[in-house]
Amino acid sequence: MPQTTPPSADWWRSAVIYQIYPRSFADSDGDGIGDLPGITTRLDHLTELGVDAVWLSPFYTSPQADAGYDVSNYRDVDPVFGTLADFRILVVRARDLGLRVIVDIVPNHTSDEHPWFKQALAAGPGSPERERYMFRDGRGPGGDEPPNNWQSAFYGPAWTRVTESDGSPGQWYLHLFDAKQPDLNWANERVRAEFDGILRFWLDLGVDGFRVDVARGLVKADGLPDYPVQFQHASGESGLRTRSPLFDQPGVHAVYRRWRSLLAEYGPDKILVAEAHVRPPSRLAQYVRPDEMHQAFNFEFLDCPYRARDLRAVITESLDACGSVGAPSTWVLNNHDDVRHVSRLGLPVGTWTDDGIGPRDQQPDLELGTRRALAMTLVQLALPGSAYIYQGEEVGLPEHTQLPDQARQDPMFARSGGRAAGRDGCRVPIPWEPGTPARGFSPSGRTWLPQGEDWDRYAVSAQRGVDGSVYELYRAALRLRREYGLGIAALQWVTLPGAGEDVLSFQVGDVLVVASIGGGDVPMPAGDVLLASAPLGGGALPPDATVWIRRRAA
Ligand code: GLC
Ligand code: MG
């Protein structure tokens, strides 16, 4: 049954937004890589699930050195994903189904195969073409040393030296990520103007907004000073308190103000979402001030250790920080960069997983992880604000932790010399039907990454209509969330008589949410049970479970 798009310009304040990773959602042409026509044929899955919008990870022309986050043409579709005509059809179908469409914008860097970068190489030092990127002379004798000590988020140095057209060793260019992702120079007005045009291009095609990749990174500290700390991984800096010269510089905000007013020309309901690993929440809130972006992913929530007191603190801090600037919080547990929550929460509490999980790493306890993950999902979907769901989590898909080295494609794996398993394990093609080759992902049976051997059980059609399945839990949660206005109502913490410190309990509207995080059984409060993440026996809430109870606020 088609849903109706919330008419209000404020639809995003409580929206549930589903992330599609195009490579891995559905493949229509049998090459083993998902594509836009594949997505279009499966969009009804999302209305059945009950989400409001989709966010598509990049499908633009790209050498795919970082799975499409290395764009060589921002105004076209990569042939592997289809054509612009396919995109138009996707948007029309989404409209018909009442789904909004958000696309990814990658402004921090281009591909090294982007025409601009090729021109920069050809034009040589000091040219306006080089000014669009971050070229610098090297340090030391002959300029043989990189300009500073910055490290790439994907391991290794953040600088690569070029060979000038006369064959001599030349300047260095900055890349916070892979060497095939040269950073743009956002001090350059030509760069800013170009991105205005790119935003307009997609807005003219009818998109509802943009997820802004590496939003904290566009502007670097003046003079590109050495960083006393070598940060180690994609999601942030190491433990030292020094503010990184690479990220979260005050200059980034002018870019988003400019974009906000550009979007406003297209109507009040177009949105910007920041991917900004910034802490604490009060600093993140600067990205969602009234004249900047609309939302920012809440990585603090994703990264929060599975402990009631930590969760309570993060939730309170997030609501306060975003609330102080009039923005909704977002609630995120999964995406294409992080170990899936079913697996992450199956490791000892607080285990660091930013490098991914491979066969040589400690393996998660999936039974425990799934219980905890579902308990967290029912916390997430009850919280006021906007919630993000990453494809596959609605069937409880785990991280693929047994991918063989030769299958791995994340540049992080190669750049770390295999030390970091990388992010492929959360990017494996979705199983749709059990038993068939590729489990319905591709008509040819091919998949660009192998699915897990026992993944029949995670096939969407194996869970549809099955009582107690993860899929039906998500569907019920999304239906009740809508019915009870959970994303909109305010949150009040509740202290339940007899509940210990492992219990998280809060009231939103007419719903009391009780989560037993770790701990033991929790006596069940009075009221009608609307939904529970685990079977309730003997009138108690078991450990690692969340229940939604209908009860008027005290
Ligand atoms: C963001 C993306 C990630 C990508 C990186 C570089 O963090 O989410 O997938 O590798 O930016 O573009
Ligand atoms: Mg394909």
Side-chain angles (χ1 to χ4, degrees):
M1 193 181 47
Q3 309 153 229
T4 48
T5 309
S8 126
D10 277 351
W11 66 274
W12 47 275
R13 289 187 171 270
S14 59
V16 178
I17 302 177
Y18 183 98
Q19 180 189 359
I20 291 182
Y21 194 65
R23 298 178 76 76
S24 300
F25 192 65
D27 173 27
S28 71
D29 61 0
D31 66 353
I33 304 177
D35 42 50
L36 298 183
I39 294 171
T40 303
T41 57
R42 295 276 188 192
L43 276 182
D44 51 355
H45 165 65
L46 302 182
T47 39
E48 181 183 271
L49 184 60
V51 304
D52 303 298
V54 295
W55 145 38
L56 301 170
S57 279
F59 48 81
Y60 316 114
T61 317
S62 160
Q64 305 291 321
D66 184 23
Y69 282 96
D70 50 317
V71 182
S72 55
N73 182 355
Y74 287 83
R75 292 180 176 83
D76 205 351
V77 173
D78 194 280
V80 89
F81 298 121
T83 62
L84 271 179
D86 293 329
F87 182 73
R88 288 200 182 87
I89 294 169
L90 187 157
V91 171
V92 168
R93 177 72 180 140
R95 286 275 168 283
D96 287 350
L97 291 168
L99 290 169
R100 300 197 184 240
V101 178
I102 293 168
V103 296
D104 222 299
I105 185 95
V106 187
N108 182 67
H109 43 265
T110 69
S111 163
D112 66 338
E113 297 180 37
H114 190 286
W116 274 12
F117 194 72
K118 294 184 185 167
Q119 290 159 14
L121 290 184
S127 63
E129 286 82 357
R130 284 216 176 168
E131 263 307 296
R132 294 188 289 219
Y133 291 92
M134 305 290 285
F135 280 90
R136 294 290 184 280
D137 294 331
R139 290 201 285 208
D144 289 347
E145 299 295 321
N148 69 23
N149 71 350
W150 295 359
Q151 296 291 297
S152 150
F154 292 165
Y155 290 91
W159 295 92
T160 292
R161 193 170 199 183
V162 304
T163 304
E164 303 299 353
S165 35
D166 64 1
S168 64
Q171 288 193 299
W172 299 70
Y173 67 90
L174 178 68
H175 51 87
L176 298 189
F177 296 90
D178 192 70
K180 285 186 68 64
Q181 295 166 294
D183 277 50
L184 285 165
N185 172 17
W186 274 86
N188 186 316
E189 175 55 25
R190 287 165 73 192
V191 170
R192 294 177 187 237
E194 175 67 8
F195 273 84
D196 290 350
I198 294 166
L199 295 177
R200 287 185 192 283
F201 179 85
W202 293 99
L203 287 162
D204 288 338
L205 282 169
V207 306
D208 296 292
F210 301 90
R211 176 263 188 194
V212 182
D213 191 57
V214 198
R216 63 175 177 157
L218 273 49
V219 176
K220 282 75 178 172
D222 276 348
L224 313 184
D226 274 348
Y227 187 20
V229 173
Q230 305 290 302
F231 78 98
Q232 293 183 325
H233 51 88
S235 72
E237 295 89 295
S238 79
L240 283 196
R241 289 285 155 242
T242 324
R243 185 160 289 288
S244 160
L246 289 74
F247 294 122
D248 196 26
Q249 299 297 312
V252 295
H253 297 287
V255 177
Y256 306 130
R257 289 197 192 98
R258 175 170 172 151
W259 289 7
R260 176 76 173 238
S261 46
L262 188 156
L263 258 68
E265 292 174 34
Y266 287 79
D269 56 349
K270 306 292 182 191
I271 69 161
L272 294 165
V273 184
E275 188 230 10
H277 289 269
V278 168
R279 28 176 75 123
S282 55
R283 271 200 87 87
L284 184 64
Q286 299 193 345
Y287 289 75
V288 290
R289 288 177 287 197
D291 58 349
E292 296 193 38
M293 301 216 218
H294 299 72
Q295 298 185 344
F297 293 142
N298 190 341
F299 293 116
E300 205 78 354
F301 182 67
L302 187 153
D303 290 332
C304 184
Y306 183 76
R307 272 192 294 264
R309 86 177 113 84
D310 293 326
L311 286 163
R312 199 177 299 117
V314 165
I315 293 168
T316 302
E317 231 190 306
S318 306
L319 289 170
D320 288 351
C322 288
S324 74
V325 291
S329 287
T330 68
W331 308 105
V332 183
L333 291 170
N334 293 283
N335 60 47
H336 65 292
D337 292 327
D338 288 284
V339 169
R340 286 182 176 277
H341 77 328
V342 158
S343 303
R344 201 171 63 228
L345 296 172
L347 291 170
V349 173
T351 303
W352 187 77
T353 56
D354 283 17
D355 274 349
I357 304 176
R360 295 177 289 276
D361 298 316
Q362 183 182 2
Q363 297 298 300
D365 172 346
L366 272 189
E367 200 189 302
L368 178 70
T370 303
R371 286 177 62 83
R372 293 185 164 175
L374 298 180
M376 282 306 300
T377 293
L378 287 202
V379 169
Q380 174 199 20
L381 294 178
L383 289 168
S386 180
Y388 280 81
I389 294 177
Y390 173 49
Q391 66 181 38
E393 70 167 280
E394 75 275 27
V395 287
L397 198 67
E399 185 83 1
H400 195 325
T401 58
Q402 294 295 322
L403 288 173
D405 289 356
Q406 57 286 11
R408 296 214 170 257
Q409 306 205 13
D410 183 353
M412 194 190 262
F413 176 73
R415 288 182 62 94
S416 70
R419 271 182 300 138
R423 302 162 295 174
D424 293 309
C426 64
R427 301 173 172 181
V428 176
I430 296 296
W432 293 93
E433 285 108 35
T436 64
R439 298 187 174 88
F441 168 73
S442 167
S444 67
R446 290 167 67 188
T447 58
W448 70 279
L449 287 172
Q451 297 172 329
E453 276 166 23
D454 60 345
W455 277 21
D456 275 357
R457 71 173 91 162
Y458 302 113
V460 176
S461 74
Q463 296 191 14
R464 180 180 286 124
V466 176
D467 235 20
S469 69
V470 174
Y471 182 62
E472 291 302 334
L473 180 73
Y474 269 78
R475 279 187 69 194
L478 293 177
R479 181 173 48 76
L480 291 164
R481 174 185 162 93
R482 190 177 297 254
E483 200 175 313
Y484 286 86
L486 295 182
I488 300 160
L491 171 145
Q492 269 180 306
W493 293 110
V494 172
T495 309
L496 294 175
E501 58 177 29
D502 299 320
V503 176
L504 199 63
S505 47
F506 54 90
Q507 181 89 30
V508 268
D510 287 343
V511 177
L512 172 69
V513 178
V514 186
S516 171
I517 305 293
D521 283 0
V522 179
M524 204 59 143
D528 302 332
V529 171
L530 293 171
L531 193 63
S533 68
L536 303 173
L541 181 66
D544 301 315
T546 298
V547 66
W548 292 0
I549 296 170
R550 187 170 61 202
R551 192 186 83 159
R552 292 235 175 272

